[in-house]
Amino acid sequence: PKGALWRHSSLVHAMGFTLLDVNFNEDDIYLHCLPAAGVPSVLLTWNAMLGFTTVVMAKFDPTEALDLMERHRCTTTLFIPTMLTAVCEVAEKQPRDLTSMRKILYGSASTPPALVQRVNAVFEGIALEQVYGSTEGMGGWYTKLSAADHAFALEHDTDLLASCGRAMIHSRVRIADDDDHDCAPNEVGEICVAGDFVMDGYFKEPELTRAALKDGWLYTGDMGKIDENGYLYLVDRKQFMIITGGYNVYPIEVENL
């Protein structure tokens, strides 16, 4: 456990603005198939704010997830990339009636564009949205690659599918270099975010808290870059970087390739 300290007011702020930005409504039927701890515990209580139905899985299984979507006429869900892969593998072999599904949110790890294209083919006509955040933001995600972004990318520019999107309405995002200056467009640095959703610190970890929270900004430890149009691209965790032959190599780029 990270031991991130969450204030109730920050949690309400994160939930309210996130739900507004991802456009859920009281008629939705949400499939929850993540653990009930940390940020997923927030997702499990979304329905309490809007009054929609949540279908809860005890443990994720791709076949059961698809069965529940079909049986309960689910409209939305949130997957991590490994779940997307598993669900696609099952659905391609055993098609279901998934016409009730209107949106799939995904995130928590970088998602290869090829996987997004595969999901789009399996769930034909569905809206896809990628969100990026962390436990320190208590479910108040930092950026979103919108359904419109996905539609444009799938039609005209598949490279955009590698992006985490642009800052959400309640979030500010910047890229800082080693001297804590703002990076130029497309320059890799540490992703920093600010907003009322940010944690108060780490429980009984003052040094970690001072390193993570500075001048109103949360230093995420994630490396990334922002292009000329404001789209964030996640590169890797700061401590995962490999230096070889004088070059900085990020494992996630190798994995995507």
Side-chain angles (χ1 to χ4, degrees), residues 66 69 77 79-89 91-92 98 101 103-106 111-129 150 154 161:
L66 289 166
M69 286 179 190
T77 192
F79 287 137
I80 64 174
T82 52
M83 290 177 172
L84 285 175
T85 299
V87 166
C88 284
E89 287 176 354
E92 287 165 349
L98 304 173
M101 290 292 295
K103 178 181 288 189
I104 291 179
L105 297 165
Y106 65 96
T111 309
L115 177 56
V116 180
Q117 292 172 299
R118 186 180 183 184
V119 174
N120 185 65
V122 170
F123 293 87
E124 188 175 357
I126 200 168
L128 296 172
E129 293 193 339
H150 278 82
L154 288 164
L161 295 175

Side-chain angles (χ1 to χ4, degrees), residues 133-202:
S134 68
T135 304
E136 291 81 356
M138 61 187 76
W141 292 307
Y142 313 146
T143 64
K144 180 185 75 172
L145 191 68
S146 70
D149 290 329
H150 278 82
F152 175 83
L154 288 164
E155 186 73 23
H156 303 289
D157 181 14
T158 55
D159 289 343
L160 184 60
L161 295 175
S163 169
C164 299
R166 292 187 279 198
M168 294 175 76
I169 55 177
H170 61 304
S171 172
R172 289 180 292 145
V173 181
R174 61 183 282 258
I175 306 295
D177 63 18
D178 290 338
D179 296 320
D180 205 20
H181 298 136
D182 288 348
C183 289
N186 294 308
E187 181 183 352
V188 174
E190 185 171 2
I191 302 170
C192 306
V193 299
D196 289 340
F197 52 85
V198 172
M199 67 170 184
D200 280 3
Y202 294 111

